[in-house]
Structures are given as C-alpha cells and as structure tokens.
Amino acid sequence: MSNINACMAVADVVRTTLGPRGMDKLIHDEKGNTTISNDGATIMKLLDIVHPAAKILVDIAKSQDAEVGDGTTTVVLLAGEFLKEAKPFIEDGVHSQNLIRSYRTASYLAIEKIKELAVSIEGKSLEEKKTLLAKCAATTLSSKLIGGENEFFASMVIDAVLAIGNADRLNMIGIKKVPGGNMRDSFLVNGVAFKKTFSYAGFEQQPKKFLKPKILLLNVQLELKSEKENAEIRLSDPSQYQSIVDAEWNIIYDKLDKCVKSGAKIVLSRLAIGDLGTQDVPLTKLWNACGGNQRRIKVHVDFCIYTKLGEVVAILVRWRMSKQNPQIVGVYQYFADRDIFCAGRVTEEDLQRVAAATGGTVQTSVNNIIDEVLGSCEIFEEKQVGNERFNIFSGCPSGQTATIVLRGGADQFIEEAERSLHDAIMIVRRALKNSTVVAGGGAIDMEISRYLRQHARTIAGKSQLFINSYAKALEVIPRQLCDNAGFDATDVLNKLRQKHALQSGEGALYGVDINTGGIADSFANFVWEPAVVKINAINAATEAACLVLSVDETVKNPKSESAQGDAAASAMGGRGRGGGAFRGRGRGIL
C-alpha cells in the first residue's frame, strides 16, 4: 500500500502540467539552478525521488521521452491512476495477480482498438504530408511554453526533420540558443551553424564570406606544442638550441603549407589553431627564429629579413617593404594572407554535422590530403545574431543536417523552448516512420474507455470489475484537461460519454474543446497525435502499474541500515553532552 501511495503522490506533482492549459513548475535545485518546465520527463528527472517504487515512474517517463519524445506526463498520470483504481481492490483482499492479469488483457484490447481507429497518412504527396505533420507538431507544441507560436515553430520543425531525411541521428538537427530578441526572430538554417569559436586578434583579417568553397576538416593541433613537464634536452653547445627552435617552426610551417596546398578555403579543427595561423605574429619572432646574424635570411617563401651590421633594415612580407625596427614592425597572418578562413576548437558535434552536410571527412593528419576528403557548400558566411557571431554553411550537397537558432528573453525560457522543440521533432519523426495518427484532446482515451466497458459486460467473474476500473482510469486524461483549463470536468465528461455511446459511431472522434469548454470533433479541429505515442504510453503505464502491484513486501538490508545508523550517530556525537560512547565537550552522562 505504501508503494501505491508513493506513486500516486508522484503523479499528483505532474498532474497540473497536462494539456494546453497546463501550468509550469519552477524547480530550484541545491546548486542554485532554476528550471521552469511543464515537460513531464524533465520534471521527473529533476525531482529527488528516493522511494524505490516511485522511481519506477521516473523510469517510464524517461523511456517515453527516449522512445517517442512526447506523452511523458500522460504515461505518469495513467500509471498513477491505474494504481489508484487498483487500491480499493487490494484493500478488500483481492490478490494482486488477478488484477495484473486483467490489466494486461485490458492493455492488449486497448492497443488493438487504437490501431483500428488510427488514420494512415501513407501515400500522400509531400505537401499533404507536411500539412498533416504540421498538425501533429502544433498539437504537441500547444501544451508548451511556446504554444502561442505553435504554427511558426511547427513549420520550422517539419522543414528540419525533412532536411535530415532518413537519418536516425537526432544530433544532425542542431539547436543553438541566443538570448535576446523574441521568439519570431528564431530561424532555420538548411545546413550547419555554430557560434564563432575562440580566436586571436588576427582573426578579423580573415575573409568572412565564400561562394562554393572547399572545406578541410581536421582533428589536428596547428600550433607550437609546449614541452612536457618531464621533458629534458641536454646540449653540448649553446648554438644547438637555435636548431631546436628552427625545427619547431619548420614543423608547424610544414603543416600550414599542406593545408594551403590542399586547395581548401575553410579550415576547421577540433583542436586549437595557434597564433601563428590565426593571429598577427610579431616579426621579432621570425627574426629570432633565424638567429639574426646573417645579411639576408630567407625564412619562408613569403617573407625575408635583411640585416646590416646585425640590425634589421628591411623586412619583405608578401612583397610589402617595411624599414622599421622589428619590435614595432607590422605583423604576419598566415591564413588571412592567403584568403583562407580558419576556426579552431570546434566542438565534436558541430564538426561531425559539418562533415555530414558538406560531404567531407575529418582528417587526423595533414599529409596526403586529396580532393575526395574535402567538403563543399554553396555559401559560407559569418553572420551577427544578437550579441553572437555565427559561422553558417548553407546549400550543402548532402543536406542531411539542419540548425535551428532560437531567440528569446530569459535563459530559462530558451531552455524550455529547446525542450519543447525536441518533443515536436521526436513526434514528427515518429509520425513519418509509423505514418498513423489518432485524435487527441482525450478523444481516443474516451473511445477506448467506452470499448473496454462494453467488453467487460461480456466477461463473467471478478475480471469484469477490474477491466471496468482500467476503463475508468483512462478517463483521467480528458478529466485533467478540463481541470487544468478551469472547466467543469463532470459536465464535460458526461457529454463525452453520451457522444461516444452513440451506436452510429460518429462520436468516436470527439474530445475536449479547450477553447470553448465544451466538446468538439478533435480530428476535424486538427488535434492529432501519432498513434505510437498513445500505444507506448498505455504499454509503459500498464507495465509500471503491474510491476508495483506484483511487489508484496519491501525488504531492506539490515547491514546497510546499521551502517547508516552508525554514521548518523557518529555525526551527532561531536558536540554537547555526549552519552556513554559519545565524547562531547559537556559533562558525560555515565
């Protein structure tokens, strides 16, 4: 009984978040982080639930979120309601195995009825499919914080999901958050977009826009490496030190040269691209690297240093002459000087998305780079979005990735918008793969409830009562939708029961009308959801309820209890009047 009570208490926490008029929860954790959400899975993850049976509800919410993305609040509510309806029978002495058997039978019948009522969207044209999928996405988003702009975001989600095609990897759809502006400032990039990575001062000299560039993707460090802590070099002649410095410079220049010779106009690396490649390098470094004791030293094909009596008199850098002291002379920017854009420390996820979109391959070496490993796109540009600058690759040949750039006021709002879009993306993907939808707004739940009540009359024995209780539990969805919207749930449910009881079957698609407080044809009003969401929710909720009902006793290891007790006792015995074994500062009681 304690297990059932704990599960009912957890279900009551998320009960008020269901539906378009559901309330949000503000969760403040011990670290000081604040989360505002009405997503069932998010709330369940953030709740610090210690009761072992109640944790089952957390698990089914997570599994629902991972499997279909939406219906996380529904699955927790249904599991809690199944247990609530089973509680009186357990109190009256009914064996739990009888309940479990009947619940599983009812679950099977309910799922078969859903498959019978589902409407297929297979065989439609692309435009018709997009319209139907937009309705599913809008239904999901209507219960979220961004529900006021559900049509705007629904079309964005459809385009993003269709852009990745049959790819199963959700990370091919990137969601980037930029504080500021309003929701309508959000936009979709048919390609890849990521924030400008860390860069040195010379970055601004690089070109910021290319047409049909070749793209080189690296997992290589393009900078001078520092010696390890335990590295040791023994020199017999001080002049040998210069040869070591020269060797370091030759290595990095060799890498940079090979990047340039590959023909790429954009170089991205997961590791750092040092100041030699991206920043203005003072020519004193070049002078010192050459030893500074010859009249004319050709350091590199692009620059020469001329000396007279040991002093620099001229420096030739890409055919530009300067006759100043090297301490204050100009600079040398490697990639920018060759009209190449580079970015280091690109995240692994963004680099893989660029590779998937542009058709490139991430290289772990700059040796033997061939054209086949280079990516390409129609347009690359750096664009200002709010206070951030984004590198945007559009017109990619593979086209199996998309990026949604989210705008909004508060950080908490943008975080919740991201969670909402994740649910919508999952729903659209499932609708595309399973291609069957059912009416939402509690319509499918009421129809299954009517069907199970009718079926229960054909059963003799106690099972009739148990299946009836299962059917009654399914009514929690339309009832809670009414309660959260401030309507009279009893009145609306009576109307729905009357409509669904019609012999003609015309009322099978009627559900709660959130806008008027009455009932309406949910399918005609485009309140749809994929059939797989409801099937998975009923399956998971029934299994969770049966699992809790199958437990007749909770056993705790006495050793762990005594260990916890000893730890608590030792913690309490530090100060004050200790007793017996406790040595405090006060007078001991013997």
Side-chain angles (χ1 to χ4, degrees):
M1 291 305 297
S2 65
N3 292 342
I4 294 176
N5 291 335
C7 292
M8 288 167 57
V10 172
D12 287 339
V13 173
V14 297
R15 188 180 296 274
T16 57
T17 67
L18 184 72
R21 301 289 186 269
M23 307 300 287
D24 297 328
K25 302 291 182 186
L26 192 152
I27 303 169
H28 186 263
D29 62 17
E30 58 185 9
K31 295 180 181 178
N33 299 324
T34 302
T35 305
I36 299 174
S37 178
N38 69 350
D39 179 55
T42 304
I43 295 170
M44 297 299 284
K45 287 175 190 174
L46 294 173
L47 290 177
D48 189 15
I49 297 175
V50 295
H51 195 283
K55 284 183 179 179
I56 296 171
L57 298 190
V58 180
D59 294 336
I60 62 169
K62 287 180 180 178
S63 70
Q64 179 81 2
D65 188 47
E67 183 67 23
V68 292
D70 197 22
T72 50
T73 305
T74 300
V75 72
V76 174
L77 266 184
L78 284 175
E81 201 67 17
F82 290 153
L83 292 171
K84 181 180 177 182
E85 292 299 326
K87 187 178 177 182
F89 295 115
I90 299 295
E91 289 175 337
D92 290 342
V94 174
H95 198 283
S96 59
Q97 286 300 329
N98 293 333
L99 275 166
I100 291 170
R101 194 180 308 113
S102 298
Y103 272 19
R104 285 184 174 150
T105 303
S107 171
Y108 174 78
L109 293 170
I111 290 170
E112 290 301 312
K113 187 65 176 176
I114 291 173
K115 291 178 180 177
E116 180 188 326
L117 293 170
V119 177
S120 176
I121 61 173
E122 197 67 51
K124 307 282 186 182
S125 67
L126 181 61
E127 287 303 316
E128 288 178 314
K129 264 190 178 181
K130 287 178 75 171
T131 304
L132 296 174
L133 291 171
K135 304 300 180 187
C136 293
T139 302
T140 300
L141 292 171
S142 64
S143 64
K144 308 297 183 183
L145 204 59
I146 56 176
E149 301 287 351
N150 56 3
E151 291 184 3
F152 172 74
F153 284 107
S155 62
M156 192 181 293
V157 166
I158 301 298
D159 292 338
V161 173
L162 293 177
I164 66 171
N166 296 323
D168 286 331
R169 293 186 295 170
L170 261 185
N171 58 4
M172 288 296 104
I173 299 179
I175 299 179
K176 304 298 179 182
K177 297 163 285 189
V178 183
N182 56 50
M183 289 187 292
R184 284 272 175 180
D185 293 332
S186 304
F187 61 92
L188 174 71
V189 176
N190 284 319
V192 183
F194 56 85
K195 289 181 184 178
K196 181 175 82 75
T197 57
F198 171 80
S199 61
Y200 297 97
F203 178 86
E204 299 306 325
Q205 299 177 27
Q206 301 185 56
K208 299 298 188 292
K209 186 171 183 179
F210 290 97
L211 297 177
K212 297 185 178 179
K214 290 186 177 180
I215 303 165
L216 175 60
L217 307 174
L218 298 173
N219 190 10
V220 177
Q221 189 171 346
L222 296 177
E223 67 175 352
L224 295 171
K225 294 183 179 180
S226 59
E227 295 83 359
K228 295 181 180 179
E229 292 180 1
N230 59 350
E232 182 178 330
I233 299 176
R234 294 176 181 267
L235 302 175
S236 58
D237 186 355
S239 61
Q240 292 177 346
Y241 177 75
Q242 187 59 44
S243 62
I244 297 173
V245 175
D246 292 344
E248 285 185 315
W249 281 78
N250 289 333
I251 290 170
I252 187 65
Y253 271 120
D254 182 55
K255 289 182 179 179
L256 297 176
D257 279 343
K258 287 176 179 176
C259 293
V260 173
K261 288 176 182 176
S262 69
K265 284 294 181 183
I266 298 172
V267 179
L268 303 179
S269 179
R270 194 176 72 82
L271 302 176
I273 296 179
D275 56 358
L276 180 59
T278 60
Q279 185 178 331
D280 305 332
V281 181
L283 290 172
T284 39
K285 282 189 178 182
L286 307 181
W287 164 249
N288 293 333
C290 302
N293 56 3
Q294 300 179 35
R295 184 180 178 281
R296 180 177 181 274
I297 307 168
K298 188 173 182 181
V299 182
H300 197 267
V301 70
D302 292 315
F303 57 83
C304 300
I305 300 177
Y306 293 86
T307 66
K308 183 178 180 181
L309 299 176
E311 292 185 2
V312 175
V313 292
I315 300 177
L316 181 65
V317 180
R318 295 283 290 195
W319 304 282
R320 292 193 299 269
M321 189 69 71
S322 174
K323 295 182 179 180
Q324 301 179 30
N325 186 288
Q327 297 293 339
I328 58 173
V329 83
V331 291
Y332 178 75
Q333 213 283 342
Y334 195 90
F335 280 129
D337 203 50
R338 291 160 174 75
D339 291 330
I340 294 176
F341 175 90
C342 68
R345 297 191 178 96
V346 180
T347 63
E348 177 73 20
E349 181 184 355
D350 288 332
L351 200 65
Q352 292 299 333
R353 288 176 55 236
V354 172
T358 63
T361 306
V362 179
Q363 300 296 300
T364 56
S365 170
V366 293
N367 297 320
N368 302 321
I369 296 175
I370 56 177
D371 287 343
E372 284 74 11
V373 302
L374 299 178
S376 63
C377 67
E378 288 295 321
I379 301 173
F380 166 79
E381 61 179 335
E382 185 173 297
K383 185 178 177 182
Q384 190 79 21
V385 181
N387 292 328
E388 303 286 350
R389 289 165 71 177
F390 272 75
N391 300 324
I392 299 175
F393 301 79
S394 52
C396 300
S398 299
Q400 293 193 348
T401 184
T403 306
I404 297 173
V405 180
L406 276 179
R407 305 296 310 280
D411 289 338
Q412 289 90 344
F413 178 85
I414 300 179
E415 294 284 347
E416 177 62 8
E418 182 187 15
R419 288 189 285 268
S420 303
L421 287 181
H422 171 267
D423 288 357
I425 288 168
M426 290 288 290
I427 284 296
V428 172
R429 285 179 72 247
R430 289 298 174 189
L432 266 177
K433 287 191 174 184
N434 296 279
S435 69
T436 54
V437 295
V438 294
I444 190 71
D445 305 276
M446 288 300 297
E447 181 61 19
I448 296 170
S449 178
R450 180 204 63 78
Y451 171 70
L452 289 177
R453 288 178 195 273
Q454 190 175 344
H455 181 270
R457 296 192 188 102
T458 65
I459 300 173
K462 296 177 183 177
S463 294
Q464 181 183 129
L465 299 174
F466 305 152
I467 292 178
N468 259 330
S469 69
Y470 190 97
K472 183 182 177 184
L474 288 171
E475 292 183 353
V476 69
I477 302 299
R479 185 188 307 117
Q480 199 60 48
L481 287 173
C482 295
D483 287 340
N484 291 348
F487 303 143
D488 185 348
T490 304
D491 182 47
V492 174
L493 254 65
N494 284 336
K495 290 179 182 178
L496 282 175
R497 289 193 190 103
Q498 180 269 330
K499 202 71 176 175
H500 282 265
L502 295 175
Q503 294 297 323
S504 61
E506 64 184 47
L509 301 177
Y510 272 73
V512 180
D513 188 345
I514 292 296
N515 298 318
T516 63
I519 63 174
D521 188 333
S522 295
F523 212 85
N525 287 344
F526 306 113
V527 182
W528 303 344
E529 59 182 334
V532 68
V533 174
K534 194 58 70 175
I535 290 172
N536 204 75
I538 290 178
N539 250 332
T542 305
E543 286 300 321
C546 292
L547 184 60
V548 173
L549 289 173
S550 66
V551 176
D552 65 342
E553 189 173 356
T554 303
V555 181
K556 209 169 193 181
N557 188 347
K559 289 185 179 180
S560 64
E561 278 192 357
S562 62
Q564 290 175 3
D566 292 344
S570 61
M572 291 170 57
R575 296 179 180 178
R577 294 186 175 185
F582 305 133
R583 295 182 179 180
R585 293 184 178 177
R587 290 181 296 170
I589 301 176
L590 302 175

